[in-house]
Amino acid sequence: STKEQEIALIVDAFLVTLRMQKTWIKLFDAALVLCAIYHGGYGLNSVLNDYVGSKELRWVASGVIIFVMTIAAVAGLRLIVSI
């Protein structure tokens, strides 16, 4: 039973890797990554605008959010391309 589970996991990983190598799947996954990053950044900025009174602090925090979201987007896209 354990041996069968190990084989099933290997086969599943192999099929996922094969699927991820298709160009249209990579494009779809890249679009999902970008949408998720945008959604997260927009949400953080909305909360920031609701709770931070200082305009200068909002500008700095927005810059940090944009910077971190850009790094996350690049990391996600690089991972998709590398598979």
Side-chain angles (χ1 to χ4, degrees), residues 9-81:
L9 286 175
I10 292 170
V11 170
D12 287 345
F14 178 72
L15 292 175
V16 168
T17 304
L18 278 178
R19 176 189 161 273
M20 287 290 300
Q21 290 175 352
K22 295 180 180 179
T23 302
W24 71 273
I25 293 290
K26 285 187 179 195
L27 291 172
F28 184 77
D29 287 345
L32 284 176
V33 165
L34 293 176
C35 287
I37 295 295
Y38 176 80
H39 177 72
Y42 190 85
L44 286 172
N45 256 335
S46 295
V47 170
L48 178 74
N49 288 329
D50 287 343
Y51 289 101
V52 176
S54 167
K55 187 174 183 176
E56 293 80 16
L57 186 56
R58 282 198 312 257
W59 271 95
V60 171
S62 288
V64 171
I65 290 169
I66 291 169
F67 179 73
V68 170
M69 291 299 172
T70 301
I71 290 173
V74 168
L77 293 174
R78 287 184 68 181
L79 179 63
I80 290 168
V81 169

